[in-house]
Amino acid sequence: MIAEPEPVLPWTPPNTEDVEPLPVGRWWDAVRVAPTVAGRALGALGEASGAVIQDIYGTLYWLVAVGSVRDRRLRHVRVLPALADESTYLGVPPASWTEGPGPHWRVPLTHGPCLTDAEALWTALTEVVRAGLGGVPEGRQLCYRCQLPTDEPIIVGDEHGGSVGGGTIYVCAQHASYYPEHGRIPLFPARGQGGGI
């Protein structure tokens, strides 16, 4: 049996000079993955990954078939589908931008298939999130760094209070990059605190 060739998208990044916002849901949906799990997910997918965009913060965006991952939820992962009542746009860099530090194609368009198989991506993301982040903290938590509530808390350590019981230290996805290894003592004190924990 002859293998079917990979479908070619009816578009290429239209702008060769700068990042251009393109509507999600027209040619593809996007899966946004926070830096805390993005690199491991990319490694887990390996050659099965299609083209991937990386923004200036290290967040990765996989392009998947329209409608293939709707109504799925996972910590530190956000599905960007087309919605009936609002438009969503993704900043798409020129195809030639394959290196940072700005937005670029972490996995170039020329790497192979442009779209990533949604099931393979979701399986890899689920395994990486469960292995790397452990159980899901219950409810909203305060980010230790910015002191704002987050629905996607990441455990970065334990607070020891001497004679008083300590607690778990959480940060939001935006500040997780300040804590490169889970379980490490936080590198920066929360706003308004003195010398750390």
Side-chain angles (χ1 to χ4, degrees):
M1 181 174 211
I2 298 173
E4 298 263 336
E6 287 292 333
V8 177
L9 287 183
W11 70 277
T12 55
N15 190 332
T16 60
E17 302 296 323
D18 203 354
V19 175
E20 182 164 337
L22 293 179
V24 172
R26 182 169 179 188
W27 298 287
W28 32 255
D29 284 347
V31 178
R32 178 187 185 275
V33 182
T36 50
V37 295
R40 286 177 284 184
L42 189 58
L45 271 170
E47 292 296 316
S49 180
V52 180
I53 297 171
Q54 180 172 329
D55 69 15
I56 61 172
Y57 303 106
T59 302
L60 297 185
Y61 298 83
W62 272 269
L63 306 180
V64 296
V66 174
S68 62
V69 289
R70 290 201 177 162
D71 302 321
R72 297 202 186 185
R73 299 191 187 281
L74 193 59
R75 287 173 62 202
H76 312 295
V77 175
R78 181 159 291 136
V79 176
L80 304 176
L83 301 173
D85 56 347
E86 65 182 65
S87 297
T88 303
Y89 289 84
L90 177 63
V92 177
S96 62
W97 290 16
T98 57
E99 294 182 15
H104 63 282
W105 291 93
R106 174 77 177 264
V107 177
L109 287 165
T110 58
H111 170 74
C114 185
L115 298 182
T116 300
D117 177 76
E119 290 305 317
L121 175 60
W122 209 260
T123 298
L125 288 171
T126 301
E127 290 172 5
V128 167
V129 167
R130 287 187 181 148
L133 300 177
V136 178
E138 294 199 19
R140 298 179 93 190
Q141 302 292 335
L142 284 181
C143 172
Y144 175 76
R145 181 147 169 86
C146 67
Q147 294 296 298
L148 295 174
T150 177
D151 291 323
E152 298 181 339
I154 299 166
I155 298 171
V156 294
D158 295 312
E159 183 175 29
H160 301 285
S163 62
V164 180
T168 303
I169 300 170
Y170 302 95
V171 294
C172 61
Q174 179 181 353
H175 291 115
S177 62
Y178 290 104
Y179 309 90
E181 296 176 26
H182 297 293
R184 289 185 71 176
I185 296 172
L187 303 175
F188 301 98
R191 191 175 4 166
Q193 292 186 357
I197 298 176

